[in-house]
Amino acid sequence: MDFQLNETEKLIQQTARDFATRELAPTAARRDAEGTFPLAELKKMAELGLMGVNVPEKWGGTEAGVVAYALAMMEISRACAATAVTMAVTNMVAEVICKFGTSEQIQRQVPRITSGEYSCGAFALSEPHCGSDASALRTSARRSERGWVLNGTKQFITSGDHAGVIVVWARTGGPGHRGISAFLVEKGTPGMSIGTVEKKMGLKGSTTVQLVFEDAEIPAEALLDEENRGFRIAMVALDGGRIGVGAQAVGIAQAALDEAVRYSRERQAFGAPLANKQAIQWMLADSATELEAARLLVLQAADCKGRGLPFTRQASMAKLFASEAANRICARAFQVHGGYGYIKEYPIERLVRDCRITTIYEGTSEVQRMVIARSLLDNA
Ligand code: CAA
C-alpha cells in the first residue's frame, strides 16, 4: 500500500492550499455574513485547473486524478466550505458529462466548465417531495417536435441560479427508477425559472435554489445517454460526489481542529493555558485521530475510483464517517472555545454551521448506511 502522493497530486494540493490561504480564507467570514457568491474566486479556480481536476486535458481539464481532486477539495474546504461545495458540484457535473455524454455534448459543455466560461455547473435531482427516495421524482419530460418539454420543480439545487449547465433528471417513462432520464439544460432556457432562494443555516456563500420548469423546451440533443437510463447516471455521479463531500468534511474539520489548538494555547484559565488541561488535550487527541481516519477513508475511496476499481461502498463509508466525525470535531472545537465559540468573531461558529449539511446532502448518513449494508448483504 502506497501512502505517498505523486508529484501531480502534491502540486494540485499545494496550488489549492496557496489559493485557499491567499484568496479564500481572508474573505470567508465576509462571504458568510453577506451571502456573496464567489464569482471572481471561481473564475480564478478554473484558471488554476480546479474545476476539472479529474477531467481529461483534451476537454480543458487538469487530468490529475481523483486523489488530487480530493486533496484539492480538502484545501478549499478548510478555507471556505461554501466555495468548496460549488467546486465539488461543478467537478461532478464535468465528470458526468465526460462519462455519459456524446462527443458533441462533451465538446459543447465541458471546456466551458473547466475554463470558467460557466461559473459553475449544477445537479438537479431532488424535488420538493423526494430527496433520499430519488427514484420517486415527478418532473416530467415529454417528447416534442424539436426535442423535449420539461415540467416540474427541482428542490435544493446548489448553484442552480448561476450554473451554465444543469444536469436535470426527469421522468420519461413509467414509475420507478427505470422511467427516468437525464438531460443537459443550459442557463437561460425559456420556461426554466428560479423559484425559492433558500435562506440557510450555513454555506451562505453558496446558493441553494428551486428550479421551476414550465413547458421548458430543450433540444433532442439535450438527452444524456439513453432514454430511461438516467437513474444509473445519478447513482454513478453521486458515488464520486460523495468522495467530494467526504473531502469537504475533512477540510472543515481540519479548520476546526486548527482553531481549537490555537485557542487552547492562547486562552489562560486557572493560571495556565487551557491546553494544559487533560480534558482539553483528550478532546484534541480524539479529534486529530478521527480526522486522520476520515482523511484516509476519503483518500482510499478516491484511490479506488482512480484505479477503476469498484468504489461505491468505499465512497459511502468515507462520506458517512468523514461527515459524522467532522461534526463531532467541530462540536469539540466549539466546546473548547467556551462562550467565545458562540459569537461570530471566532471562525468556529461558521465552521459548526457549514459542517452540519455534510451528513445530509449527496445522500444522508442513513442513505450511506443503506448503500453500505446492501453491498455487504449482496456480496455475502
Ligand atoms: N452505481 C450504478 N448503478 C447503481 C448504483 C451505483 N452506485 N446504485 C444503484 N444503482 C442502480 C441499481 O443497479 C438499479 O438498477 P437496475 O435495477 O436497473 O439494475 C437502480 O440503480 C436502482 O437501484 P436501487 O434499487 O438500489 O435504488 P433505490 O431506489 O432503492 O435507491 C438509494 C437507492 C441509494 C437510496 C438512492 O436513491 C440514493 O442514493 N438516494 C439518495 C439521493 C441523493 O444522494 N441525493 C442527493 C441530491 S444531490 C445533492 O445533494 C447535490 C448538491 O446539490 C450538493
Side-chain angles (χ1 to χ4, degrees):
M1 199 178 221
D2 187 2
F3 285 97
Q4 299 302 310
L5 302 181
N6 66 33
E7 290 310 312
T8 307
E9 289 159 352
K10 284 186 203 159
L11 181 67
I12 295 293
Q13 182 185 43
Q14 194 59 48
T15 302
R17 184 175 295 165
D18 290 346
F19 178 78
T21 309
R22 198 178 57 244
E23 307 251 356
L24 295 178
T27 48
R30 198 178 69 214
R31 258 189 304 283
D32 174 63
E34 296 172 1
T36 359
F37 190 74
L39 272 176
E41 290 82 356
L42 293 171
K43 179 91 185 148
K44 289 183 193 167
M45 285 164 67
E47 284 161 12
L48 292 172
L50 297 176
M51 291 310 205
V53 180
N54 185 41
V55 166
E57 279 181 0
K58 63 181 169 186
W59 310 122
T62 307
E63 206 171 319
V66 193
V67 169
Y69 166 65
L71 294 166
M73 269 298 295
M74 289 173 192
E75 296 300 332
I76 300 297
S77 308
R78 187 175 180 177
C80 179
T83 305
V85 70
T86 316
M87 170 182 161
V89 176
T90 304
N91 273 269
M92 176 163 72
V93 167
E95 281 195 42
V96 86
I97 299 173
C98 286
K99 189 166 175 69
F100 293 100
T102 60
S103 60
E104 289 75 22
Q105 287 171 327
I106 299 172
Q107 273 172 39
R108 181 171 172 82
Q109 306 295 351
V110 177
R112 293 178 181 184
I113 297 173
T114 51
S115 67
E117 183 184 333
Y118 290 162
S119 59
C120 53
F123 185 93
L125 180 65
S126 300
E127 298 192 356
H129 70 285
C130 72
S132 294
D133 186 9
S135 69
L137 64 84
R138 291 182 195 147
T139 292
S140 67
R142 65 175 160 76
R143 283 189 184 275
S144 68
E145 262 175 37
R146 280 184 290 165
W148 300 89
V149 178
L150 297 177
N151 278 288
T153 301
K154 292 290 173 180
Q155 183 84 351
F156 300 145
I157 308 308
T158 301
S159 322
D161 50 346
H162 288 281
V165 64
I166 305 159
V167 189
V168 177
W169 278 267
R171 190 158 299 284
T172 43
H177 69 269
R178 294 203 176 123
I180 294 171
S181 302
F183 298 91
L184 299 179
V185 180
E186 294 186 5
K187 187 176 184 153
T189 293
M192 176 175 77
S193 60
I194 309 302
T196 310
V197 178
E198 305 296 349
K199 292 188 174 67
K200 297 174 297 183
M201 171 181 175
L203 297 186
K204 290 175 187 262
S206 127
T207 53
T208 304
V209 302
Q210 254 183 356
L211 286 178
V212 181
F213 296 93
E214 290 165 307
D215 288 329
E217 189 139 19
I218 53 173
E221 315 81 82
L223 177 68
L224 187 61
D225 202 47
E226 289 169 40
E227 190 177 344
N228 294 329
R229 295 271 291 154
F231 191 72
R232 183 182 51 106
I233 300 178
M235 294 298 104
V236 170
L238 284 167
D239 282 347
R242 288 165 185 166
I243 296 174
V245 176
Q248 183 191 31
V250 168
I252 300 170
Q254 181 68 64
L257 180 59
D258 295 345
E259 292 301 322
V261 169
R262 185 182 8 252
Y263 186 82
S264 66
R265 288 163 63 106
E266 283 169 6
R267 175 75 173 177
Q268 299 287 317
F270 306 101
L274 204 53
N276 285 15
K277 298 276 177 255
Q278 193 182 48
I280 302 297
Q281 291 175 3
W282 285 22
M283 286 195 222
L284 298 179
D286 284 347
S287 292
T289 306
E290 289 186 43
L291 178 57
E292 204 58 21
R295 194 189 312 278
L296 289 172
L297 274 177
V298 170
L299 292 178
Q300 176 190 246
D303 185 56
C304 285
K305 180 181 169 194
R307 288 176 195 273
L309 300 171
F311 69 98
T312 299
R313 187 201 300 189
Q314 285 76 9
S316 283
M317 286 178 166
K319 201 248 179 203
L320 170 64
F321 185 83
S323 62
E324 300 222 328
N327 276 280
R328 289 192 294 272
I329 293 165
C330 283
R332 286 191 204 107
F334 191 83
Q335 190 69 14
V336 166
H337 280 71
Y340 285 108
Y342 204 62
I343 60 173
K344 289 194 178 283
E345 202 182 324
Y346 287 79
I348 189 63
E349 184 270 345
R350 169 172 49 87
L351 296 170
V352 166
R353 286 185 289 106
D354 284 353
C355 192
R356 189 61 191 86
I357 192 65
T358 60
T359 64
I360 295 172
Y361 61 19
E362 301 208 14
T364 59
S365 288
E366 292 68 30
V367 162
Q368 307 314 324
R369 290 185 176 99
M370 276 171 74
V371 172
I372 296 162
R374 282 182 186 183
S375 95
L376 284 173
L377 297 167
D378 289 351
N379 292 333

